[in-house]
Amino acid sequence: MDENLKRYIQLLPKAELHVHIEGTFEPELIFEIATRNKVSLKYNSVEELRKAYNFNNLQDFLDIYYGAANVLLYEQDFYDLTVNYLRKAHADNVVHTEIFFDPQTHTARSVSFETVVNGITRAMDDAKIEWGISSKLILCFLRHLSEKSAEETLKSALLHKDKIIAVGLDSSENGHPPGKFFHVFNRVREEGFFVVAHAGEEGPAEYVWEAIDLLEAERVDHGVSSIDDPDLLEELREREIPLTVCPLSNLKLKVVEELKNVPVKVFLEKGIRVTLNSDDPSYFGGYINDNYLQTAEALRLSRNDIYTLAKNSFLASFITENERNIFLEKLLNFENAFV
Ligand code: HPA
Ligand code: ZN
């Protein structure tokens, strides 16, 4: 790829809107925390663990991802995990990030909701001071669990309402449509949280319809199977519902055979508010700039396309209009000054 376009991507101010904090857990840190917490792992070394990162589908990945999360026990563990991600995001010129966390993965092991949230948000506060990076936190319900378990999780979240901007839905998609969580998301909206949902990653376009119509999701995570339904594409465009696409994730989980089949270019051409994100960067071979770089190369994206992706990331963020205007101005200033 053109060296100048590479530099453009590297320096471009951008927001990341789809990243699971447990998916930023690097093998070195997994072993470090496992050792200090005296938790045994199924793997004997960092190399052995990395070798297991060969996935045929979403479930293959989730099994390893939940296994690694088991070593997280104390507030400091969640702090270290989050600071590591924010350092990397800052290095990629991410100026704002909205981070997912999976509380049920931890509360099921008797780690308290409070421990998890306090560790993550203390890191977010420190990173704001240290690097100026802005961040928000999004709670995700695990969709392979029951709606009742999601309701209990929401109850814990209400005690930390000021620290959580939105609620989403992740984990094993097929067989767990958004509609399974209809009642709890009514409560989520009544409580004033924004709503997002993973839909149309491995699941069909119908699940994206359920996410936007039944859950009233303001943003759809992945959403790539929307490409199969022209009426849905028109609906997403008309309602300005953003998609948080994660190209390297789609490649590694075999949602697509080749990176060039991730429909980012078509979404752009149709005027859909598409964004690029890393999902679980420590498992999928790259942080956000790797996603921009490899997607730009595979799809022959223009500088204007890349600019639109970054602009969309700010348009799709859950921030105040004042904050949005500041980020958009920063982006425009960068664009005008870049040579
Ligand atoms: N899909 C569903 N659940 C997840 C993912 C994903 O890509 N990453 C972490 N949990
Ligand atoms: Zn995800």
Side-chain angles (χ1 to χ4, degrees), residues 66-264:
Y66 294 132
N70 282 340
V71 312
L72 298 163
L73 297 181
Y74 305 109
E75 188 184 311
Q76 189 62 37
D77 305 339
F78 292 93
Y79 178 91
D80 292 347
L81 173 68
T82 307
V83 158
N84 263 15
Y85 161 65
L86 289 166
R87 185 184 296 110
K88 291 201 163 75
H90 172 63
D92 276 357
N93 283 301
V94 170
V95 292
H96 174 72
T97 177
E98 300 187 359
I99 304 171
F100 294 132
F101 76 118
D102 290 342
Q104 288 152 299
T105 300
H106 313 298
T107 53
R109 302 176 290 111
S110 302
V111 174
S112 76
F113 191 99
E114 191 171 24
T115 297
V116 180
V117 162
N118 287 353
I120 297 172
T121 54
R122 185 158 61 82
M124 289 162 64
D125 292 344
D126 283 359
K128 171 83 188 163
I129 294 166
E130 184 85 6
W131 302 307
I133 186 168
S134 147
S135 58
K136 306 268 185 206
L137 191 55
I138 303 179
L139 182 163
C140 280
F141 296 137
L142 298 181
R143 68 200 310 157
H144 66 273
L145 301 179
S146 65
E147 186 175 46
K148 184 162 175 290
S149 174
E151 275 160 5
E152 283 159 12
T153 305
L154 178 60
K155 210 188 274 177
S156 303
L158 294 180
L159 302 172
H160 301 274
K161 219 172 160 180
D162 56 321
K163 302 193 182 84
I164 297 166
I165 189 82
V167 176
L169 193 60
D170 68 2
S171 192
S172 321
E173 186 177 12
N174 280 318
H176 303 285
K180 176 179 167 186
F181 296 89
F182 175 71
H183 299 97
V184 71
F185 274 96
N186 280 340
R187 286 273 293 135
V188 164
R189 274 184 277 104
E190 278 166 20
E191 291 293 346
F193 296 104
F194 288 109
V195 171
V196 298
H198 281 54
E201 179 186 17
E202 284 187 339
E206 181 54 33
Y207 283 20
V208 178
W209 279 113
E210 287 195 19
I212 63 174
D213 283 347
L214 296 182
L215 306 190
E216 299 180 30
E218 268 109 0
R219 227 161 54 197
V220 173
D221 298 312
H222 293 295
V224 286
S225 67
S226 307
I227 200 71
D228 301 328
D229 183 340
D231 292 341
L232 176 57
L233 291 176
E234 179 51 25
E235 188 82 2
L236 294 170
R237 189 197 61 77
E238 172 73 27
R239 286 164 62 181
E240 298 182 339
I241 297 173
L243 300 181
T244 64
V245 173
C246 307
L248 288 177
S249 167
N250 292 163
L251 181 67
K252 291 291 153 67
L253 300 186
K254 300 195 164 48
V255 168
V256 293
E257 263 180 37
E258 291 179 87
L259 209 52
K260 69 172 168 46
N261 298 342
V262 179
V264 171

Side-chain angles (χ1 to χ4, degrees), residues 18 20 100 198 222 279-280:
H18 185 158
H20 302 261
F100 294 132
H198 281 54
H222 293 295
D279 206 6
D280 302 282

